Amino acid sequence: MQAVVCHGPRDYRLQEVRRPSIGPGEALVRVEAVGICASDLKCYHGAAKFWGDDNRPAWAETEVIPGHEFVGEVVDIDDAAARKWGVDVGDRVVSEQIVPCWQCRYCRRGQYWMCAPHDIYGFKRRTPGAMASYMIYPAGALVHRVSKDLPPAHAAFTEPLSCSVHAVERADIHFEDVVVIAGCGPIGLGMVAAAAAKNPAHVIALDVAPAKLELARLCGADLTVNIAENDPGELVRDLTEGYGADVYIDGTGHPSAVPQGLNLLRKLGTFVEYSVFREPVTVDWSIISDDKELDVRGAHLGPYSWPSAIRMIESGRLPMDRICTHQLPVERFQEGLDLVADGGSSIKVSLIPA
């Protein structure tokens, strides 16, 4: 079969590889669509988070098929897997992006998204990804059915949307809160929709692209700010009697968004970080501690959020035709990476292996 294979930073190649076959407890899935994530791009560009530096070893491995945002059709499945997941040949399915070991401390405590081995599709040899015609869902995977009525690229958006939902859950939003979402890319737009579903007093979306801010309104933001033209602090202060936002969620991956959030929050506010930064970010920690006593929370992957994300997409709540901007054949993967890197005309770029 045709597949993209990672041989290291900036060395991804389209190759002919052997089509996989199932083992005990596994499913063979024909890939219908696979999204290109910002983390795929940062891995491609050689970010230290993936390939290591003086302070940490490499996490990503070579000779791996990338792709962790995907949907496909079951073409072969072990009987035990069919019973466990409640799916059969012909079903359309997604699999959560991490395949837990189910043995480590985190997995035993139900915190499977922080699994110690941390085998995520598309980065590890044990879990090849979806930039290929077929892939395996391993025995330890978490699998969910998705409606066949959705276009493939829309169904594959379940993965980033689950991440957005988890970040919003981490924020613990209340009805009277003023919530600021930084960034209106795929993750940020999902955050806007999930935050709006919590029905807070205001959801404010920040970005520099007018088209993305328009999409944020369609996703549920009642206020938007183009930070290239206006100071979001002025709007936030006007809405909060000068106190500041209750919640700030960063989905940009840009270092400037971190101090921006610290400054926009009120005392005792909540900061949620959901970004993969290419390089370390430095902030004034006295704002977090002595000045404001902020509650700073990280967010990683989309645990326990996939059913909610699937319902949101199937309900038509999101303007998916405008979010899923580009679908390319897998042989144009380099063009897809370049589109994500440019960020101008694209929001969610997907590859269609078929």
Side-chain angles (χ1 to χ4, degrees):
M1 67 177 183
Q2 235 182 11
V4 178
V5 180
C6 167
H7 292 271
R10 296 186 182 273
D11 188 7
Y12 286 26
R13 308 173 199 171
L14 189 67
Q15 298 178 201
E16 290 290 322
V17 302
R18 184 184 297 276
R19 193 179 95 167
S21 56
I22 63 169
E26 296 183 337
L28 177 67
V29 174
R30 180 181 62 81
V31 180
E32 295 181 88
V34 51
I36 300 178
C37 177
S39 62
D40 291 322
L41 184 69
K42 287 166 184 171
C43 184
Y44 173 78
H45 282 151
K49 172 181 172 61
F50 300 97
W51 299 108
D53 56 17
D54 293 340
N55 299 313
R56 54 187 150 177
W59 173 69
E61 297 174 346
T62 58
E63 311 299 322
V64 175
I65 299 170
H68 60 275
E69 303 178 1
F70 51 79
V71 66
E73 180 184 8
V74 178
V75 295
D76 192 14
I77 190 166
D78 176 77
D79 288 342
R83 290 192 299 269
K84 176 182 177 182
W85 296 327
V87 302
D88 210 337
V89 170
D91 285 340
R92 174 183 266 184
V93 286
V94 293
S95 178
E96 297 196 22
Q97 64 278 81
I98 190 167
V99 181
C101 72
W102 302 113
Q103 301 297 320
C104 70
R105 173 188 295 180
Y106 302 107
C107 287
R108 292 197 307 270
R109 293 178 176 179
Q111 300 160 332
Y112 67 88
W113 69 102
M114 298 307 296
C115 172
H118 224 69
D119 292 334
I120 294 177
Y121 288 107
F123 297 105
K124 297 287 192 175
R125 295 189 188 108
R126 188 176 84 88
T127 48
M131 292 187 188
S133 303
Y134 294 87
M135 67 182 299
I136 292 290
Y137 288 5
L142 293 146
V143 177
H144 307 274
R145 271 193 293 188
V146 185
S147 170
K148 288 189 173 184
D149 294 333
L150 298 173
H154 296 192
F157 194 72
T158 303
E159 193 278 341
L161 185 55
S162 75
C163 297
S164 303
V165 171
H166 176 54
V168 168
E169 293 283 42
R170 292 282 287 157
D172 193 24
I173 293 170
H174 297 94
F175 289 129
E176 296 304 314
D177 284 349
V178 171
V179 180
V180 178
I181 310 290
C184 296
I187 295 290
L189 291 171
M191 291 172 175
V192 168
K198 297 286 187 179
N199 202 32
H202 294 287
V203 176
I204 306 169
L206 311 181
D207 206 285
V208 296
K212 291 181 179 179
L213 291 170
E214 180 187 350
L215 270 180
R217 284 190 175 273
L218 293 177
C219 288
D222 58 296
L223 296 164
T224 61
V225 180
N226 186 328
I227 60 171
E229 300 174 354
N230 297 291
D231 175 17
E234 183 176 347
L235 172 63
V236 170
R237 287 189 293 272
D238 287 346
L239 290 172
T240 62
E241 300 178 317
Y243 287 102
D246 302 281
V247 173
Y248 179 92
I249 309 177
D250 175 33
T252 66
H254 196 283
S256 65
V258 180
Q260 173 182 261
L262 298 181
N263 290 320
L264 285 175
L265 283 168
R266 63 168 171 82
K267 295 178 180 180
L268 302 175
T270 299
F271 186 118
V272 177
E273 184 56 68
Y274 196 110
S275 290
V276 176
F277 292 99
R278 188 172 179 179
E279 296 174 354
V281 179
T282 302
V283 298
D284 181 357
W285 277 80
S286 62
I287 299 174
I288 298 169
S289 57
D290 193 53
D291 292 357
K292 293 186 176 181
E293 196 176 318
L294 298 178
D295 190 352
V296 179
R297 302 180 180 183
H300 177 59
L301 304 185
Y304 303 108
S305 299
W306 286 67
S308 298
I310 291 168
R311 287 196 301 271
M312 287 177 71
I313 295 172
E314 291 178 344
S315 73
R317 170 73 183 78
L318 295 168
M320 292 303 303
D321 284 332
R322 296 182 61 179
I323 292 173
C324 297
T325 52
H326 294 75
Q327 293 88 50
L328 306 172
V330 73
E331 57 265 26
R332 292 167 62 186
F333 74 92
Q334 186 63 59
E335 182 182 344
L337 288 166
D338 293 343
L339 277 166
V340 177
D342 175 66
S345 61
S346 71
I347 295 180
K348 174 48 64 181
V349 179
S350 300
L351 302 177
I352 310 297

